[in-house]
Amino acid sequence: MRDAPLQALQAAARGAPADSSVRPRLVIAGATGVLGNEVLRRLVGLRLFGTTQVLAREPITAGLRGVGTTVVPGDDPAQWPPGAADTGVVLFDPPRLFYDRERALWTPVPQQLPALAGWMRRSGVTTLAVVLPHAQGRLPEALKRGLANLDEHAVAAQGFERLLIVRSAQKPAAVASGNWLVALAHWMLSIFKYMVPSSEQPVRSAKVAEFVAAALQVAPPGIHVAAPETVWRAAQGDLRMAVRQWLGA
């Protein structure tokens, strides 16, 4: 069952129209984990892109029509030669180690975002979507709807025609420890999650992927930042309508 996600992608990609050469080219950094797989599956299934490239550490054969891999020559995007793409998507979901192909894919860390965005811009990308995870309930109110730090400002300064930043709350990481005092402290801290508003809770990966796909279809030029509650509220009802209202489209 390791290859079940790729089999789903193959079914989605089968029968793609012949005019793929005139449609935009997509590149995805971080097509791993539950979220990465959902975003890749949904974007391929929409058939909006002529080709889709996923960044990888080593050559792999996906066996999917219109989907290939670009092997990166290291972990510093500033040193990579330019690629060729029109739309870029960046995700930070770590690979699931029980999927062989995911271990071969390249996944960035948030600190690499400015350099990765620079590489995508040099590669011709004009539309960039970034899904940025954050600890639930810990993002200051003033930063939810705007650029939160110097790295994000550096990405915005790259000159993308459309920049989408989607803030998505992440689940707290599990703590494995044989020390009962550490475990007790972690349990006591975990009770504070019940004090986090519902709109700050994590959203299912399938809904985040649907949000990103819908935004890529209708976003006008400019910088658009989706606050965590925007993503959460969109997931509760008519998601496409919520995305249009967020973008003023």
Side-chain angles (χ1 to χ4, degrees):
M1 298 298 292
R2 289 182 175 180
D3 294 335
L6 288 167
Q7 291 171 356
L9 283 175
Q10 190 168 15
R14 189 178 296 118
D19 64 343
S20 61
S21 61
V22 301
R23 288 177 290 154
R25 301 157 298 178
L26 172 68
V27 60
I28 300 180
T32 52
V34 177
L35 178 59
N37 181 69
E38 287 287 348
V39 170
L40 179 59
R41 182 183 65 84
R42 182 166 292 275
L43 292 180
V44 170
L46 289 175
R47 300 179 183 175
L48 295 174
F49 302 97
T51 61
T52 298
Q53 292 288 316
V54 294
L55 301 187
R57 295 182 179 277
E58 58 189 68
I60 58 175
T61 302
L64 306 172
R65 180 178 299 175
V67 179
T69 57
T70 296
V71 178
V72 300
D75 282 327
D76 184 4
Q79 303 300 319
W80 298 350
D86 305 288
T87 299
V89 176
V90 178
L91 306 143
F92 299 98
D93 214 9
R96 297 167 291 184
L97 297 183
F98 48 87
Y99 285 115
D100 290 339
R101 285 180 173 84
E102 286 196 9
R103 292 203 300 267
L105 297 179
W106 186 81
T107 302
V109 295
Q111 293 80 2
Q112 293 172 308
L113 180 58
L116 179 58
W119 174 80
M120 289 195 171
R121 192 70 190 92
R122 295 195 307 274
S123 299
V125 170
T126 57
T127 294
L128 178 64
V130 184
V131 181
L132 282 171
H134 69 88
Q136 59 188 52
R138 296 185 183 179
L139 189 65
E141 194 69 31
L143 301 180
K144 290 180 180 179
R145 296 172 179 80
L147 301 176
N149 53 44
L150 292 177
D151 284 350
E152 293 181 20
H153 280 277
V155 173
Q158 299 282 353
F160 292 99
E161 180 179 330
R162 299 191 301 167
L163 174 61
L164 307 173
I165 295 178
V166 178
R167 304 200 190 283
S168 178
Q170 62 183 350
K171 294 180 180 179
V175 174
S177 174
N179 188 318
W180 71 271
L181 288 174
V182 173
L184 177 62
H186 183 260
W187 174 81
M188 294 179 66
L189 289 172
S190 70
I191 65 175
F192 288 103
K193 71 179 181 180
Y194 298 107
M195 302 173 63
V196 177
S198 296
S199 60
E200 296 265 344
Q201 298 289 343
V203 176
R204 289 193 302 114
S205 294
K207 288 295 184 180
V208 176
E210 187 179 353
F211 187 98
V212 172
L216 283 173
Q217 293 179 76
V218 301
I223 300 172
H224 311 281
V225 181
E229 58 264 29
T230 300
V231 181
W232 184 87
R233 291 194 182 99
Q236 308 311 306
D238 188 334
L239 190 144
R240 294 186 65 84
M241 180 59 69
V243 169
R244 287 182 174 275
Q245 291 175 346
W246 163 57
L247 293 169

